[in-house]
């Protein structure tokens, strides 16, 4: 009979005593359970004790979270959160530097637990930490030269504890003084500062800016772009990530109203959002990020990718104001831009003495505006009253005309001279293309919290959006000609162009030139081929009945793959041994027993030909004793001094089996295929998911094959509505044994 649902079997530890196995009744109060545990060990004052998870988190068990306790959990009896908070509150004020340092270490670790954090905050612990940051640094100022490492550690753990406590959202950020903000900002502005202190200080500044408009204004007086840039020029990616995060926070909270600023001494927040782009360009922030982050030798981690994505989104959002601004047909300055487009395209000199009548000039303007591809030939300004894209489309057209003049003139003249109704209207195309690019790049939308989709090419140019437009408008003209489109096909052309752009962006080109090259390979003909290929591969695979069939088949395929992996483990594999001193050709063999209960392994003198019998393998490891499978850098033999010198390929083939107490069976697979087979097979034995590339590939292949077989068309075969009759039994069954 299974145990009641409210009964949980756990082990409870106490220092100096054997762990106690007991059943916890979740219906009983937690204090009653603690008293019961204390009685078993004859411990007094149970009200000062509490239960804690005996894992890396060390989180306290409370009435709120006790339902998370699972069968087999290991708990620890320890000092209660209230007592621990009181003790640490006293110890961090000790006059002894050693006691203070150890207390701050414990505080930084314990503050991750919201139960402890609440108790420490109730003792006004946040105020104590801020006072230590404000005044404590001066107290030990004279000792910095002889105690610099200790001073750095004290400050580092103080700030870490502060960050962890504030992350729980119990205390408002609006409560902090200007002195504290100045002190944190000073840590960021100093050229030589402890890495951990700098990292925590940047994190605090980011949180201040994001969580409080008042603090945001105060931070404005302390931090400048120039003071943040040196942190991007270092080699520590964590520091670079936090620095960009601060810039993003400042960028995100910048006011929208316009203000005057001085470029040489401007604080980053003394300016409005509309001036941010100019300041960032002045300080060469983009080029510094490109050279020191994006093109550095270190791979970009997920957090850095997210911050770059946020910066990309916020930069493009600067275009929103122009995108949502309608053109005023009566504004002469805006009308002059259209005149400039006409002048560049047709090289029209200023008519001497305004020769000709007004009617004649109007007729000439109308003709030229028609050649430029505007919808309204009489007053093109009306074309830019649609929002989006508003004035942004006109900005792009002018940029293209001025910076890529030859391409602009060629497109306009090429299409204006055609008489076969196949001309591509430059004006209308530019307006619709600008709108499409804003949709693709989601201009005006706030950045997503979990997205890492940044494009390196947008960090390669100060006017990346305009350059992006220039490449795409030439693509549009090229695709128009390839499709031999007319005005009736305008929307079809725009759909193809959108597909060309989005497909080219998926490869994350490193430069605008690489993006342009990718587009060259995505002609209209190639798009048609890709569409046809995808249609043949997917066809109606997205319909609901097909998806339901796919879900039904998938477990069968996964079981088939699992059996194949286990069968391969039963056959066994020869592994090579790697000496810590030098590489030697020594081998050992490992195979799984046919009943899947034991791993047999043993050393070999030479590489075997074929399988090795169980009887010749000296050692055994019951599968039931296996606790976990670890791979790569987590393997013990990859952490050893000698193994660290091995190449990257060896690291990718290493895996280990953990059994008993810190005992490992270490493997180095002969190739990637065997690595996937063994890690999959071992995970299958442990009841875990098989996650290798090999499994994903096999799943896709077998699943697609099975789906196609089940959905195979039966041509010219009429399926009867009623089953056919069963034939009569044969007169004899001798044919079964006829071997001739």
């Amino acid at each position: 009979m299974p145990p009641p649902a409210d009964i949980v079997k756990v082990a409870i530890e106490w220092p100096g005593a054997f762990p106690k196995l007991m059943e916890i009744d979740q219906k009983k109060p937690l204090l009653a359970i603690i008293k019961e545990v204390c009685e078993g060990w004859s411990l007094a004052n149970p009200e000062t004790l509490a239960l804690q998870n005996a894992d890396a988190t060390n989180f306290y068990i409370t009435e709120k979270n006790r339902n998370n306790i699972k069968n087999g959990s290991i708990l620890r009896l320890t000092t209660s959160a209230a007592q621990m908070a009181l003790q640490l509150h006293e110890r961090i004020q000790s006059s002894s530097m050693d006691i203070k340092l150890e207390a701050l270490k414990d505080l930084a670790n314990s503050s991750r637990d919201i139960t402890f954090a609440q108790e420490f905050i109730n003792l006004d612990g946040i105020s104590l930490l801020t006072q230590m940051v404000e005044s404590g640094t001066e107290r030990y100022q004279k000792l910095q030269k002889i105690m610099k490492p200790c001073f750095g550690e004290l400050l580092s753990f103080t700030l870490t504890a502060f960050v962890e406590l504030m992350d729980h959202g119990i205390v408002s950020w609006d409560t902090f003084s200007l002195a504290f903000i100045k002190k944190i900002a000073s840590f960021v502005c100093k050229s030589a500062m402890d890495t951990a202190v700098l990292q925590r200080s940047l994190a605090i500044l980011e949180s201040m800016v994001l969580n409080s408009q008042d603090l945001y204004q105060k931070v404005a007086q302390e931090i400048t772009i120039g003071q943040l840039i040196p942190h991007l020029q270092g080699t520590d990616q964590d520091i670079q990530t936090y620095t960009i995060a601060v810039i993003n926070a400042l960028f995100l909270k910048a006011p929208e109203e316009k203000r005057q600023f001085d470029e040489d001494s401007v604080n980053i927040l003394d300016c409005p959002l509309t001036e941010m782009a100019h300041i960032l360009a002045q300080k060469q922030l983009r080029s510094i990020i490109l050279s020191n982050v994006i093109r550095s030798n270190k791979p970009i981690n997920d957090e850095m990718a997210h911050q770059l994505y946020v910066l990309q989104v916020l930069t493009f959002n600067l275009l929103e104001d122009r995108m949502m601004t309608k053109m005023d047909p009566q504004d002469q300055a805006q009308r002059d831009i259209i005149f400039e487009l006409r002048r560049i395209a047709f090289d029209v000199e200023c008519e001497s003495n305004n020769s000709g009548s007004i009617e004649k000039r109007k007729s000439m303007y109308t003709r030229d505006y028609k050649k430029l591809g505007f919808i309204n030939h009489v007053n093109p300004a009306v074309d830019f009253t649609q929002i989006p894209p508003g004035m942004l489309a006109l900005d792009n057209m002018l940029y293209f005309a001025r910076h890529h003049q030859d391409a602009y003139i060629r497109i306009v003249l090429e299409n204006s001279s055609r008489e076969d109704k196949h001309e591509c209207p430059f004006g209308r195309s530019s307006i619709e293309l600008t709108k499409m690019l804003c949709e693709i790049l989601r201009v005006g939308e706030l950045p997503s919290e979990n997205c890492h989709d940044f494009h390196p090419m947008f960090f390669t140019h100060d006017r990346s959006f305009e350059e992006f437009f220039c490449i795409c408008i030439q693509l549009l003209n090229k695709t128009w000609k390839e499709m031999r489109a007319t005005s009736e096909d305008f929307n079809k052309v725009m759909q193809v162009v959108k597909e060309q752009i989005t497909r080219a962006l998926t490869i994350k080109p490193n430069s605008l030139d690489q993006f342009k090259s990718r587009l060259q390979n995505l002609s209209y003909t190639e798009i048609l081929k890709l569409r046809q290929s995808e249609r043949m591969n997917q066809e109606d695979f997205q319909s609901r009945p097909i998806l339901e069939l796919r879900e039904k088949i998938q477990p069968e395929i996964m079981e088939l793959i699992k059996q194949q992996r286990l069968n391969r483990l039963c056959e066994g594999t020869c592994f090579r041994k790697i000496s810590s001193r030098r590489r030697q050709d020594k081998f050992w063999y490992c195979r799984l027993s046919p009943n899947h209960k034991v791993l047999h392994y043993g050393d070999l003198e030479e590489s075997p030909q074929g399988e090795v019998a169980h009887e010749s393998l000296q050692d055994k490891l019951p599968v039931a004793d296996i606790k976990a499978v670890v791979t790569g850098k987590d393997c013990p033999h990859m952490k050893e001094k000698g193994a660290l010198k091995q190449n990257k390929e060896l690291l990718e083939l290493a895996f280990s089996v953990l059994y008993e107490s810190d005992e490992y069976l270490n493997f180095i697979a002969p190739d990637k295929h065997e690595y996937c087979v063994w890690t999959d097979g071992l995970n299958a034995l442990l009841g875990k998911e098989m996650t290798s590339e090999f499994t994903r590939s096999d799943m896709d292949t077998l699943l697609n094959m099975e789906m196609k077989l089940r959905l195979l068309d039966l041509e010219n075969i009429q399926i009867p509505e009623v089953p056919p009759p069963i034939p009569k039994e044969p007169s004899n069954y001798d044919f079964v044994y006829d071997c001739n």
Side-chain angles (χ1 to χ4, degrees):
M1 182 176 177
D6 294 321
I7 301 298
V8 183
K9 295 182 178 181
V10 299
I12 299 180
E13 298 177 340
W14 174 257
F18 287 106
K20 182 188 293 293
L21 298 176
M22 67 176 296
E23 294 181 349
I24 291 180
D25 186 351
Q26 292 285 39
K27 292 181 179 180
K28 291 177 66 174
L30 200 56
L31 183 58
I33 295 172
I34 293 171
K35 285 182 178 179
E36 183 181 339
V37 175
C38 291
E39 289 172 1
W41 275 314
S42 301
L43 300 176
N45 303 321
E47 64 278 358
T48 63
L49 300 174
L51 290 174
Q52 196 178 50
N53 287 303
D55 55 18
T57 64
N58 291 330
F59 287 172
Y60 280 98
I61 304 298
T62 64
E63 293 290 353
K64 291 183 179 180
N65 64 23
R66 62 184 295 177
N67 290 328
N68 295 330
I69 302 174
K70 306 296 182 185
N71 277 316
S73 297
I74 301 177
L75 308 180
R76 182 187 298 118
L77 188 64
T78 186
T79 307
S80 69
Q83 285 293 114
M84 179 69 75
L86 189 61
Q87 292 172 12
L88 288 178
H89 192 275
E90 294 174 357
R91 287 170 58 202
I92 62 176
Q93 299 179 74
S94 171
S95 58
S96 168
M97 293 287 284
D98 291 335
I99 294 175
K100 182 187 287 285
L101 181 59
E102 287 302 314
L104 285 169
K105 284 183 182 180
D106 292 341
L107 178 63
N109 184 54
S110 300
S111 295
R112 293 176 299 153
D113 184 0
I114 191 170
T115 306
F116 170 85
Q118 185 68 69
E119 296 292 345
F120 189 78
I121 289 170
N122 290 342
L123 297 172
D124 210 15
I126 294 285
S127 296
L128 177 60
L129 292 179
T130 55
Q131 289 169 14
M132 290 173 63
V133 172
E134 291 174 29
S135 60
T137 50
E138 281 81 5
R139 187 184 304 170
Y140 303 111
Q141 198 78 25
K142 297 178 181 179
L143 302 177
Q144 280 194 48
K145 291 184 180 180
I146 58 174
M147 302 183 67
K148 190 172 182 180
C150 181
F151 171 76
E153 279 191 297
L154 276 173
L155 188 54
S156 170
F157 287 117
T158 303
L159 294 178
T160 302
F162 175 83
V163 170
E164 295 289 354
L165 290 168
M166 291 302 298
D167 277 349
H168 296 297
I170 300 171
V171 178
S172 171
W173 283 93
D174 287 309
T175 58
F176 298 106
S177 66
L178 184 60
F180 179 71
I181 298 169
K182 285 180 176 290
K183 185 61 65 177
I184 297 297
S186 71
F187 299 149
V188 173
C189 296
K190 285 181 182 177
S191 56
M193 178 53 68
D194 182 84
T195 301
V197 173
L198 176 58
Q199 188 181 95
R200 305 302 186 278
S201 300
L202 288 167
I204 291 170
L205 288 179
E206 180 195 8
S207 296
M208 284 180 173
V209 172
L210 290 177
N211 289 285
S212 169
Q213 191 66 29
D214 184 47
L215 287 183
Y216 158 77
Q217 296 294 342
K218 293 176 181 177
V219 171
Q221 310 304 318
E222 309 299 329
I223 297 295
T224 67
I225 279 284
Q227 291 164 332
L228 291 172
I229 280 178
H231 302 315
L232 294 173
Q233 295 172 320
T235 57
D236 190 319
Q237 189 169 119
D238 288 336
I239 295 297
Q240 292 173 327
T241 303
Y242 278 101
T243 303
I244 296 177
V246 171
I247 293 172
N248 286 338
L250 297 169
F251 208 158
L252 190 62
K253 294 291 182 176
E256 295 182 2
E257 66 275 7
K258 294 185 178 180
R259 297 180 188 174
Q260 297 297 320
F261 68 94
D262 176 10
E263 289 180 7
D264 295 327
S265 62
V266 63
N267 283 357
I268 189 169
L269 298 180
D270 282 346
C271 61
L273 183 59
T274 51
E275 304 292 350
M276 282 293 292
H278 182 59
I279 292 177
L280 299 185
Q282 288 290 325
K283 299 297 182 179
Q284 299 180 332
L285 180 66
R286 177 201 56 77
S287 59
I288 290 170
I289 291 175
L290 180 66
S291 57
N292 292 279
V293 178
I294 297 175
R295 291 182 176 172
S296 69
N297 295 326
K298 295 181 180 179
I300 294 175
N301 59 38
D302 286 347
E303 184 55 35
M304 174 61 85
H306 172 69
Q307 294 301 335
L308 291 172
Y309 152 77
V310 172
L311 182 58
Q312 172 186 292
V313 171
L314 295 176
T315 304
F316 283 140
N317 281 358
L318 293 171
L319 304 169
E320 185 182 13
D321 182 56
R322 294 293 283 174
M323 182 181 77
M324 301 306 292
T325 300
K326 293 181 180 181
M327 184 173 184
D328 182 2
Q330 306 305 318
D331 189 324
Q332 188 58 43
Q334 295 178 358
R335 290 166 61 89
D336 286 344
I337 299 176
I338 298 177
F339 292 150
E340 178 74 358
L341 291 173
R342 173 178 169 270
R343 185 196 65 78
I344 296 173
F346 304 113
D347 196 23
V348 177
E349 299 294 339
C350 295
E351 292 88 356
S352 58
N353 300 323
N354 292 325
S355 59
S357 65
I358 295 176
E359 304 329 343
K360 186 176 179 181
R361 286 203 307 271
K362 281 185 177 180
S363 175
M364 183 175 60
Y365 290 163
T366 300
R367 181 198 64 200
D368 290 345
Y369 292 149
K370 183 178 181 180
K371 289 181 179 180
L372 279 168
F374 290 112
I375 298 174
N376 192 315
H377 306 152
V378 178
N379 187 7
V382 176
D383 289 11
F384 299 98
T385 56
Q386 174 194 353
I387 55 171
M391 288 296 292
L392 184 60
L394 188 59
D395 295 343
N396 284 338
M397 293 168 70
L398 183 62
Y399 182 90
F400 181 48
R402 285 179 172 174
H403 294 84
H404 301 272
Q405 195 172 87
D406 291 343
Y408 167 70
I409 294 173
R410 186 180 67 252
I411 287 176
V412 173
L413 296 184
E414 183 181 90
N415 288 287
S416 63
S417 62
R418 303 185 70 164
E419 298 295 338
D420 55 1
K421 297 185 179 180
H422 287 284
E423 65 273 5
C424 177
F426 174 73
R428 182 185 176 191
S429 298
S430 298
I431 293 169
E432 290 301 320
L433 179 63
T434 301
K435 182 179 178 182
M436 178 199 296
L437 297 183
C438 289
E439 290 173 357
I440 292 174
L441 299 178
R442 299 182 177 180
V443 175
E445 294 184 19
L446 288 175
S448 168
E449 293 184 2
N450 300 315
C451 187
H452 311 97
D453 189 24
F454 84 96
H455 294 276
M457 74 175 190
F458 291 128
F459 290 85
T460 62
H461 202 284
D462 288 328
R463 304 289 294 275
S464 60
F465 184 80
E466 290 87 342
E467 288 292 328
F468 185 45
F469 168 83
C470 294
I471 294 171
C472 294
I473 192 64
Q474 295 177 73
L475 167 73
L476 191 153
N477 187 65
K478 173 174 171 286
T479 303
W480 186 283
K481 289 188 291 184
E482 290 173 350
M483 294 177 67
R484 295 195 55 80
T486 63
S487 57
E488 289 80 9
D489 302 318
F490 188 87
N491 290 333
K492 292 181 181 178
V493 176
M494 295 305 294
Q495 288 174 3
V496 173
V497 170
K498 185 174 184 179
E499 186 172 347
Q500 290 172 313
I501 294 169
T502 52
R503 284 182 184 273
L505 287 176
T506 54
I507 66 166
K508 300 292 181 65
N510 292 319
S511 66
L512 291 164
D513 287 337
Q514 191 176 342
F515 173 70
K516 192 187 299 183
S517 299
R518 174 62 178 158
L519 289 176
Q520 292 295 327
N521 298 326
L522 285 171
S523 63
Y524 175 58
T525 305
E526 184 63 25
I527 291 293
L528 290 178
K529 290 180 181 178
L530 289 170
R531 285 179 175 179
Q532 184 178 5
S533 174
E534 290 171 359
R535 198 158 40 240
M536 289 178 65
N537 289 333
Q538 295 181 1
E539 243 171 352
D540 298 325
F541 277 24
Q542 299 305 314
S543 64
R544 185 175 176 181
I546 300 301
L547 292 175
E548 289 178 356
L549 177 60
R550 192 180 183 90
E551 289 179 8
K552 183 178 179 181
I553 296 174
Q554 194 162 342
E556 301 173 14
I557 301 296
M558 185 57 75
E559 184 62 27
L560 183 65
I561 295 172
K562 176 182 174 181
Q563 291 304 318
Q564 188 273 339
R565 299 292 191 267
L566 295 177
N567 290 340
R568 277 289 294 109
L569 264 60
C570 290
E571 294 174 9
T573 301
C574 178
F575 297 95
R576 184 161 48 88
K577 283 190 172 183
I578 300 295
S579 170
S580 60
R581 287 174 290 179
R582 60 189 176 92
R583 186 172 293 184
Q584 298 175 334
D585 290 333
K586 288 188 176 182
F587 303 94
W588 67 289
Y589 200 88
C590 185
R591 65 180 298 176
L592 180 66
S593 63
N595 62 4
H596 301 169
K597 291 186 177 181
V598 180
L599 283 176
H600 298 266
Y601 61 97
D603 294 337
L604 301 175
E605 293 296 327
E606 58 182 4
S607 181
Q609 301 296 323
E611 295 183 20
V612 176
H614 296 93
E615 297 77 16
S616 60
L617 300 174
Q618 308 90 352
D619 300 308
K620 297 180 181 180
L621 172 60
V623 171
D625 291 350
I626 298 177
K627 294 183 177 180
V629 177
V630 294
T631 61
K633 293 180 180 179
D634 296 328
C635 298
H637 57 316
M638 291 294 106
K639 294 179 180 178
E640 296 170 1
K641 184 177 179 181
L644 287 175
K645 298 179 181 179
Q646 305 298 338
N647 56 36
K648 183 181 177 183
E649 292 180 3
L650 203 63
L651 196 66
E652 293 176 348
L653 299 175
F655 61 97
S656 300
V657 172
L658 169 64
Y659 63 97
E660 293 182 357
S661 56
D662 297 331
E663 291 291 330
Y664 288 88
L665 187 60
N666 297 320
F667 298 76
I668 295 177
D671 52 48
K672 191 67 176 179
H673 180 272
E674 288 295 322
Y675 170 84
C676 292
V677 166
W678 274 85
T679 52
D680 281 343
L682 291 170
N683 280 323
L685 286 173
L686 298 179
K688 296 182 179 179
E689 187 179 355
M690 300 184 292
T691 57
S692 76
E693 300 171 8
F694 194 34
T695 293
R696 288 196 296 271
S697 175
D698 283 354
M699 172 60 76
D700 290 341
T701 302
L702 294 173
L703 192 54
N704 289 335
M705 188 182 299
E706 183 67 18
M707 289 291 292
K708 288 178 180 179
L709 286 172
R710 296 201 183 192
L711 299 173
L712 190 64
D713 290 333
L714 300 175
E715 295 183 4
N716 302 322
I717 298 177
Q718 186 175 3
I719 301 176
E721 294 183 4
V722 294
I726 299 174
K728 294 180 179 180
E729 292 188 13
S731 58
N732 64 71
Y733 295 90
D734 295 341
F735 60 86
V736 176
Y737 305 102
D738 187 2
C739 298
N740 297 324

